[in-house]
Amino acid sequence: MSTTGANADPLAALGALPGVAESVESVRKAVDRVYGHRIMRRRSNEITSEAALRGARGSAALSGADWALEEVRRRSDFGGGDEARAVGAALRLTAEAGQLLSIWRQSPLRVLARLHLVAAADNADQVGRPRQPGEPVDEPLVELPLPDAEEAHGRLDGLAALVMAGGSAPALVTAAVVHGEILALRPFTSHNGLVARAAERIVLVGSGLDPKSVCPAEVGHAEPGRAGYLAALDGYVSGTPEGMAAWIAHCSRAVALGARESTAVCEALQRGAA
């Protein structure tokens, strides 16, 4: 995504692309439905906790650890094997994201560094900082051209400037761009997908679109499988108006599916079945 040029608010320009307004309205209605559920008035903390678990499971699945929800719920040791470590990292990030909301708008780069530190705590030499020239990236499930370190640093700085500047773009658009840009750049040596999805969650919650974090977009991103997710990301990477609008529409559906997931949890709680 280019952050230069005459347009002082490129995110607002994305909001004007064909179909984006409809995506924004659709996701708002989906979020409003779950927030309007009677269970949310009495047991919202339970819904938030369950949404966090399901969101972490979905994010881990997209990073190659497609575990059943009950297995994620049951396990307490995530130290053995790549899949277990991916699930553990996703759970840690989901918990950490809520602690970083107040910092995000003032210092998004600091937040991203913290997210990477939390995700990749087992490699102290390379965590919590963008990759340096010549350092490889361990993100085998994302088969996209990899920008060099200098380009990644510059674009990451540009993304941070957009976040700090604010602007009039809908929260969904900002969240989609943050997610897409981090995954396109892969600015860290590992765990970029997990970090990108955690950053999207921070935007959605901090913007007020989903203040109680009960609409886990990660669930919706995982719904079409990794191939569907990466196909949607191709639209973002293309940089074309059609591709960008398609990626934003994908992110809209992801949030709506997350809202649907939590609505189902509310219904189960209401029936006394969960």
Side-chain angles (χ1 to χ4, degrees), residues 178-269:
V178 166
H179 181 168
E181 190 73 353
I182 294 170
L183 203 45
L185 294 177
R186 279 147 292 160
F188 301 105
T189 56
S190 64
H191 298 86
N192 292 283
L194 292 171
V195 169
R197 292 182 288 274
E200 179 188 48
R201 173 184 285 268
I202 287 172
V203 175
L204 294 170
V205 175
S207 68
L209 177 61
D210 179 21
K212 293 183 182 294
S213 195
V214 296
C215 302
E218 303 94 331
V219 170
H221 288 306
E223 180 89 1
R226 191 160 58 244
Y229 172 68
L230 294 177
L233 180 65
D234 284 342
Y236 179 87
V237 174
S238 75
T240 65
E242 297 79 10
M244 296 294 288
W247 170 247
I248 294 168
H250 165 83
C251 292
S252 171
R253 289 190 294 272
V255 178
L257 287 168
R260 185 186 70 179
E261 187 90 351
S262 287
T263 299
V265 173
C266 288
E267 292 294 328
L269 288 171

Side-chain angles (χ1 to χ4, degrees), residues 13 22 26 36 52 55 63 67 110 115 148 166 173 176 197 208 228 248 263 269:
E22 290 81 359
S26 174
S63 289
W67 288 13
R110 179 181 165 196
L115 291 174
D148 63 31
V173 172
R197 292 182 288 274
I248 294 168
T263 299
L269 288 171

Side-chain angles (χ1 to χ4, degrees), residues 116-207:
H116 187 249
L117 179 66
V118 169
D122 57 343
N123 190 347
D125 291 338
Q126 296 177 322
V127 301
R129 61 161 177 81
R131 56 187 165 90
Q132 301 301 309
E135 287 184 334
V137 173
D138 182 16
E139 204 80 37
L141 301 179
V142 181
E143 298 178 355
L144 293 170
L146 182 69
D148 63 31
E150 184 177 357
E151 179 183 351
H153 288 193
R155 286 173 58 179
L156 199 62
D157 286 343
L159 179 65
L162 286 176
V163 170
M164 290 186 291
S168 59
L172 173 68
V173 172
T174 303
V177 168
V178 166
H179 181 168
E181 190 73 353
I182 294 170
L183 203 45
L185 294 177
R186 279 147 292 160
F188 301 105
T189 56
S190 64
H191 298 86
N192 292 283
L194 292 171
V195 169
R197 292 182 288 274
E200 179 188 48
R201 173 184 285 268
I202 287 172
V203 175
L204 294 170
V205 175
S207 68

Side-chain angles (χ1 to χ4, degrees), residues 56-93:
R57 194 217 72 82
S59 191
L62 291 170
S63 289
D66 192 3
W67 288 13
L69 179 63
E70 290 311 311
E71 178 67 7
V72 178
R73 196 191 306 279
R74 180 187 67 82
R75 287 283 288 268
S76 58
D77 178 13
F78 298 97
D82 290 344
E83 288 193 7
R85 284 193 291 272
V87 174
L91 289 166
R92 292 193 302 273
L93 284 175

Side-chain angles (χ1 to χ4, degrees), residues 39-55:
I39 290 294
M40 279 293 294
R41 293 195 292 271
R42 297 184 287 111
R43 303 175 71 174
S44 64
N45 288 342
E46 292 175 65
I47 307 303
T48 296
S49 295
E50 186 65 19
L53 185 72
R54 293 176 185 229

